[in-house]
Amino acid sequence: MEHPDTQEAIVALLPRLRRFARSLAGSAADADDLVQIGVERALRNLAQYQPGTRLDAWMFRVLKNAWIDEARSRGRRAKVFAPPEAGETVGDEGAAAVEAKLELRAVETAMQSLPEEQRIVIAMVCVEGFSYRETADALQLPIGTVTSRLARGREALVQILGASA
């Protein structure tokens, strides 16, 4: 069964999905792979999406589940991710660009040091702009769990980034 409007909406979500995948996987290459896996899975299971509900929340849940499956699979195969710094520093535009990249790298490193459950909630609420309720619904968690993970994650980020300043 064709769903052209939903498929177009998924394409429009790709930048947000990639950003979320980057917060999960830590590297651009792994994030791209994760988005591909997630979108393929979503398109294959499009009949499970309920029109009238938030497609972005459904896609984030699909992507999170794909990440969990991929992480388990990689663990079984005993493979590691490519380091995020591999090839990302080509073509610097000057001191301001270098400083901005260093700050971004510090935030990325701090995010990766958080436990996965905190990193996912922070990515959805602080980066993607989901409400606490939307995040709770998308992740199938109680709202109190989202609130506590967000608070602990933010506190940890402040400590990590404050110590590196």
Side-chain angles (χ1 to χ4, degrees):
M1 178 186 254
E2 291 295 315
H3 300 278
D5 292 339
T6 305
Q7 291 172 355
E8 289 175 18
I10 290 172
V11 170
L13 284 172
L14 286 175
R16 291 180 61 202
L17 294 173
R18 186 171 187 272
R19 192 170 46 232
F20 181 61
R22 180 75 188 258
S23 72
L24 294 172
S27 79
D30 288 329
D32 289 343
D33 290 345
L34 182 59
V35 169
Q36 180 175 344
I37 292 166
V39 169
E40 287 174 357
R41 188 177 290 182
L43 292 174
R44 198 171 41 250
N45 298 304
L46 203 51
Q48 293 178 5
Y49 171 67
Q50 298 186 0
T53 62
R54 288 196 57 174
L55 178 64
D56 57 352
W58 183 72
M59 286 298 303
F60 275 66
R61 185 170 45 249
V62 169
L63 202 62
K64 180 201 67 129
N65 290 338
W67 166 248
I68 290 169
D69 293 345
E70 183 65 15
R72 285 179 184 152
S73 175
R74 286 176 186 236
R76 285 190 300 268
R77 292 187 315 252
K79 290 189 176 181
V80 297
F81 294 128
E85 55 273 356
E88 293 184 8
T89 57
V90 176
D92 291 340
E93 298 90 32
V98 170
E99 188 170 324
K101 286 182 181 182
L102 288 173
E103 288 177 16
L104 180 59
R105 175 94 45 203
V107 172
E108 287 176 343
T109 302
M111 282 285 288
Q112 291 305 312
S113 71
L114 295 176
E116 184 173 304
E117 68 265 0
Q118 292 174 10
R119 190 171 62 243
I120 290 171
V121 170
I122 287 176
M124 290 188 74
V125 173
C126 299
V127 178
E128 295 301 328
F130 282 89
S131 71
Y132 290 20
R133 168 58 51 209
E134 291 165 342
T135 301
D137 291 345
L139 298 177
Q140 299 173 323
L141 294 170
I143 195 165
T145 301
V146 169
T147 303
S148 64
R149 287 179 183 178
L150 186 61
R152 286 192 315 268
R154 283 179 172 163
E155 184 178 315
L157 284 176
V158 167
Q159 289 177 356
I160 293 167
L161 294 171
S164 67

Short mmCIF file of all heavy atoms in Angstrom, two decimals, residues 55-87:
data_model
loop_
_atom_site.label_atom_id
_atom_site.label_comp_id
_atom_site.label_asym_id
_atom_site.label_seq_id
_atom_site.Cartn_x
_atom_site.Cartn_y
_atom_site.Cartn_z
N LEU A 55 4.24 11.94 13.30
CA LEU A 55 5.16 11.11 12.53
C LEU A 55 6.58 11.24 13.07
O LEU A 55 7.31 10.24 13.15
CB LEU A 55 5.13 11.50 11.04
CG LEU A 55 6.08 10.73 10.14
CD1 LEU A 55 5.72 9.25 10.11
CD2 LEU A 55 6.08 11.32 8.74
N ASP A 56 6.98 12.45 13.47
CA ASP A 56 8.35 12.62 13.96
C ASP A 56 8.59 11.80 15.23
O ASP A 56 9.62 11.15 15.36
CB ASP A 56 8.73 14.08 14.16
CG ASP A 56 7.81 14.85 15.11
OD1 ASP A 56 6.76 14.32 15.53
OD2 ASP A 56 8.15 16.01 15.42
N ALA A 57 7.62 11.76 16.12
CA ALA A 57 7.78 10.97 17.34
C ALA A 57 7.88 9.48 17.00
O ALA A 57 8.69 8.75 17.57
CB ALA A 57 6.60 11.21 18.29
N TRP A 58 7.06 9.03 16.05
CA TRP A 58 7.11 7.63 15.63
C TRP A 58 8.46 7.31 15.01
O TRP A 58 9.07 6.29 15.31
CB TRP A 58 5.97 7.35 14.65
CG TRP A 58 5.88 5.93 14.21
CD1 TRP A 58 5.45 4.86 14.96
CD2 TRP A 58 6.22 5.40 12.92
NE1 TRP A 58 5.51 3.71 14.20
CE2 TRP A 58 5.97 4.01 12.94
CE3 TRP A 58 6.69 5.97 11.74
CZ2 TRP A 58 6.19 3.19 11.85
CZ3 TRP A 58 6.90 5.15 10.64
CH2 TRP A 58 6.66 3.78 10.70
N MET A 59 8.95 8.19 14.16
CA MET A 59 10.24 7.97 13.51
C MET A 59 11.39 7.96 14.53
O MET A 59 12.32 7.17 14.41
CB MET A 59 10.50 9.03 12.44
CG MET A 59 9.69 8.86 11.19
SD MET A 59 10.02 7.29 10.32
CE MET A 59 11.79 7.40 10.04
N PHE A 60 11.33 8.83 15.53
CA PHE A 60 12.37 8.84 16.55
C PHE A 60 12.36 7.54 17.33
O PHE A 60 13.41 7.01 17.70
CB PHE A 60 12.20 10.04 17.48
CG PHE A 60 12.84 11.29 16.96
CD1 PHE A 60 12.37 11.90 15.82
CD2 PHE A 60 13.93 11.84 17.60
CE1 PHE A 60 12.95 13.05 15.33
CE2 PHE A 60 14.54 12.99 17.11
CZ PHE A 60 14.05 13.60 15.97
N ARG A 61 11.18 7.00 17.59
CA ARG A 61 11.07 5.72 18.30
C ARG A 61 11.65 4.60 17.43
O ARG A 61 12.39 3.75 17.91
CB ARG A 61 9.63 5.42 18.69
CG ARG A 61 9.50 4.16 19.53
CD ARG A 61 8.12 3.95 20.16
NE ARG A 61 7.01 4.20 19.27
CZ ARG A 61 6.16 5.22 19.38
NH1 ARG A 61 6.31 6.10 20.35
NH2 ARG A 61 5.17 5.37 18.53
N VAL A 62 11.33 4.61 16.13
CA VAL A 62 11.88 3.62 15.21
C VAL A 62 13.41 3.72 15.20
O VAL A 62 14.11 2.70 15.28
CB VAL A 62 11.31 3.80 13.79
CG1 VAL A 62 12.06 2.96 12.78
CG2 VAL A 62 9.82 3.46 13.76
N LEU A 63 13.92 4.94 15.14
CA LEU A 63 15.37 5.15 15.10
C LEU A 63 16.03 4.70 16.41
O LEU A 63 17.08 4.05 16.38
CB LEU A 63 15.67 6.62 14.83
CG LEU A 63 17.02 6.93 14.26
CD1 LEU A 63 17.20 6.29 12.89
CD2 LEU A 63 17.21 8.43 14.15
N LYS A 64 15.40 5.02 17.53
CA LYS A 64 15.95 4.59 18.83
C LYS A 64 15.99 3.07 18.91
O LYS A 64 16.99 2.48 19.33
CB LYS A 64 15.12 5.15 19.98
CG LYS A 64 15.65 4.71 21.35
CD LYS A 64 14.61 4.82 22.45
CE LYS A 64 13.52 3.86 22.24
NZ LYS A 64 13.11 2.99 23.28
N ASN A 65 14.93 2.42 18.46
CA ASN A 65 14.90 0.95 18.49
C ASN A 65 15.93 0.36 17.53
O ASN A 65 16.57 -0.65 17.84
CB ASN A 65 13.50 0.44 18.18
CG ASN A 65 12.53 0.73 19.30
OD1 ASN A 65 12.92 0.93 20.45
ND2 ASN A 65 11.25 0.78 18.99
N ALA A 66 16.11 1.00 16.38
CA ALA A 66 17.14 0.54 15.44
C ALA A 66 18.52 0.69 16.08
O ALA A 66 19.39 -0.17 15.90
CB ALA A 66 17.06 1.32 14.13
N TRP A 67 18.72 1.77 16.81
CA TRP A 67 20.01 1.99 17.49
C TRP A 67 20.26 0.89 18.52
O TRP A 67 21.36 0.34 18.61
CB TRP A 67 20.05 3.35 18.16
CG TRP A 67 21.18 3.48 19.12
CD1 TRP A 67 21.10 3.59 20.47
CD2 TRP A 67 22.58 3.47 18.82
NE1 TRP A 67 22.35 3.65 21.01
CE2 TRP A 67 23.28 3.59 20.02
CE3 TRP A 67 23.31 3.38 17.63
CZ2 TRP A 67 24.67 3.62 20.09
CZ3 TRP A 67 24.68 3.41 17.70
CH2 TRP A 67 25.35 3.52 18.91
N ILE A 68 19.25 0.57 19.29
CA ILE A 68 19.39 -0.48 20.31
C ILE A 68 19.74 -1.80 19.63
O ILE A 68 20.66 -2.51 20.06
CB ILE A 68 18.11 -0.60 21.15
CG1 ILE A 68 17.94 0.64 22.04
CG2 ILE A 68 18.12 -1.87 22.00
CD1 ILE A 68 16.59 0.75 22.71
N ASP A 69 19.05 -2.13 18.56
CA ASP A 69 19.34 -3.37 17.83
C ASP A 69 20.75 -3.36 17.27
O ASP A 69 21.47 -4.35 17.35
CB ASP A 69 18.33 -3.58 16.70
CG ASP A 69 16.92 -3.84 17.20
OD1 ASP A 69 16.75 -4.13 18.40
OD2 ASP A 69 15.98 -3.73 16.38
N GLU A 70 21.15 -2.24 16.69
CA GLU A 70 22.49 -2.13 16.10
C GLU A 70 23.57 -2.22 17.17
O GLU A 70 24.59 -2.88 16.99
CB GLU A 70 22.61 -0.82 15.32
CG GLU A 70 23.92 -0.64 14.61
CD GLU A 70 24.20 -1.65 13.50
OE1 GLU A 70 23.27 -2.35 13.05
OE2 GLU A 70 25.36 -1.73 13.06
N ALA A 71 23.35 -1.57 18.31
CA ALA A 71 24.33 -1.61 19.40
C ALA A 71 24.48 -3.04 19.92
O ALA A 71 25.60 -3.49 20.18
CB ALA A 71 23.92 -0.67 20.53
N ARG A 72 23.39 -3.73 20.06
CA ARG A 72 23.45 -5.13 20.50
C ARG A 72 24.21 -5.98 19.48
O ARG A 72 25.04 -6.81 19.83
CB ARG A 72 22.05 -5.71 20.69
CG ARG A 72 21.37 -5.22 21.92
CD ARG A 72 19.98 -5.81 22.03
NE ARG A 72 19.29 -5.25 23.18
CZ ARG A 72 17.98 -5.14 23.26
NH1 ARG A 72 17.21 -5.56 22.27
NH2 ARG A 72 17.43 -4.61 24.33
N SER A 73 23.90 -5.78 18.22
CA SER A 73 24.55 -6.53 17.15
C SER A 73 26.05 -6.25 17.12
O SER A 73 26.86 -7.17 17.00
CB SER A 73 23.92 -6.17 15.81
OG SER A 73 24.59 -6.79 14.76
N ARG A 74 26.42 -5.00 17.24
CA ARG A 74 27.84 -4.64 17.24
C ARG A 74 28.55 -5.23 18.45
O ARG A 74 29.69 -5.64 18.35
CB ARG A 74 28.01 -3.13 17.22
CG ARG A 74 27.71 -2.52 15.88
CD ARG A 74 27.81 -1.02 15.95
NE ARG A 74 27.38 -0.44 14.69
CZ ARG A 74 28.12 0.37 13.97
NH1 ARG A 74 29.30 0.73 14.40
NH2 ARG A 74 27.66 0.86 12.84
N GLY A 75 27.86 -5.24 19.57
CA GLY A 75 28.45 -5.82 20.77
C GLY A 75 28.74 -7.30 20.58
O GLY A 75 29.78 -7.81 20.99
N ARG A 76 27.80 -7.98 19.92
CA ARG A 76 28.00 -9.40 19.66
C ARG A 76 29.15 -9.63 18.70
O ARG A 76 29.88 -10.61 18.79
CB ARG A 76 26.72 -10.03 19.11
CG ARG A 76 25.65 -10.24 20.17
CD ARG A 76 24.51 -11.08 19.64
NE ARG A 76 23.83 -10.48 18.50
CZ ARG A 76 22.77 -9.69 18.58
NH1 ARG A 76 22.26 -9.40 19.76
NH2 ARG A 76 22.21 -9.21 17.50
N ARG A 77 29.30 -8.73 17.74
CA ARG A 77 30.39 -8.87 16.78
C ARG A 77 31.69 -8.28 17.29
O ARG A 77 32.72 -8.38 16.62
CB ARG A 77 30.01 -8.17 15.47
CG ARG A 77 28.87 -8.85 14.74
CD ARG A 77 28.64 -8.25 13.36
NE ARG A 77 28.63 -6.79 13.34
CZ ARG A 77 27.54 -6.04 13.18
NH1 ARG A 77 26.37 -6.61 13.03
NH2 ARG A 77 27.63 -4.74 13.13
N ALA A 78 31.64 -7.64 18.46
CA ALA A 78 32.82 -7.03 19.10
C ALA A 78 33.49 -6.00 18.20
O ALA A 78 34.70 -5.90 18.14
CB ALA A 78 33.81 -8.10 19.54
N LYS A 79 32.65 -5.21 17.52
CA LYS A 79 33.18 -4.13 16.69
C LYS A 79 33.03 -2.81 17.43
O LYS A 79 32.16 -2.66 18.28
CB LYS A 79 32.42 -4.06 15.36
CG LYS A 79 32.72 -5.23 14.46
CD LYS A 79 32.13 -5.01 13.10
CE LYS A 79 32.53 -6.16 12.19
NZ LYS A 79 32.00 -6.00 10.85
N VAL A 80 33.87 -1.86 17.08
CA VAL A 80 33.78 -0.53 17.67
C VAL A 80 33.47 0.48 16.58
O VAL A 80 33.72 0.24 15.40
CB VAL A 80 35.09 -0.14 18.39
CG1 VAL A 80 35.37 -1.06 19.55
CG2 VAL A 80 36.26 -0.15 17.42
N PHE A 81 32.94 1.64 16.99
CA PHE A 81 32.65 2.70 16.04
C PHE A 81 33.93 3.40 15.62
O PHE A 81 34.91 3.44 16.35
CB PHE A 81 31.74 3.76 16.68
CG PHE A 81 30.37 3.26 17.01
CD1 PHE A 81 29.85 3.41 18.27
CD2 PHE A 81 29.59 2.64 16.05
CE1 PHE A 81 28.59 2.97 18.58
CE2 PHE A 81 28.33 2.19 16.35
CZ PHE A 81 27.84 2.35 17.62
N ALA A 82 33.91 3.95 14.43
CA ALA A 82 35.02 4.77 13.99
C ALA A 82 35.06 6.03 14.86
O ALA A 82 34.02 6.54 15.26
CB ALA A 82 34.83 5.17 12.53
N PRO A 83 36.27 6.52 15.19
CA PRO A 83 36.34 7.72 16.02
C PRO A 83 35.72 8.92 15.31
O PRO A 83 35.88 9.07 14.10
CB PRO A 83 37.84 7.91 16.24
CG PRO A 83 38.50 7.14 15.16
CD PRO A 83 37.57 6.03 14.78
N PRO A 84 34.99 9.77 16.06
CA PRO A 84 34.31 10.90 15.42
C PRO A 84 35.26 11.87 14.74
O PRO A 84 34.89 12.56 13.80
CB PRO A 84 33.57 11.60 16.55
CG PRO A 84 33.82 10.85 17.78
CD PRO A 84 34.72 9.70 17.48
N GLU A 85 36.50 11.93 15.19
CA GLU A 85 37.43 12.90 14.62
C GLU A 85 38.02 12.45 13.29
O GLU A 85 38.77 13.19 12.66
CB GLU A 85 38.54 13.24 15.61
CG GLU A 85 39.32 12.05 16.13
CD GLU A 85 38.69 11.41 17.37
OE1 GLU A 85 37.69 11.91 17.89
OE2 GLU A 85 39.21 10.39 17.81
N ALA A 86 37.66 11.30 12.82
CA ALA A 86 38.21 10.78 11.56
C ALA A 86 37.70 11.61 10.38
O ALA A 86 36.57 11.51 9.98
CB ALA A 86 37.84 9.32 11.38
N GLY A 87 38.55 12.46 9.86
CA GLY A 87 38.25 13.20 8.66
C GLY A 87 37.35 14.41 8.81
O GLY A 87 36.92 14.97 7.82
#
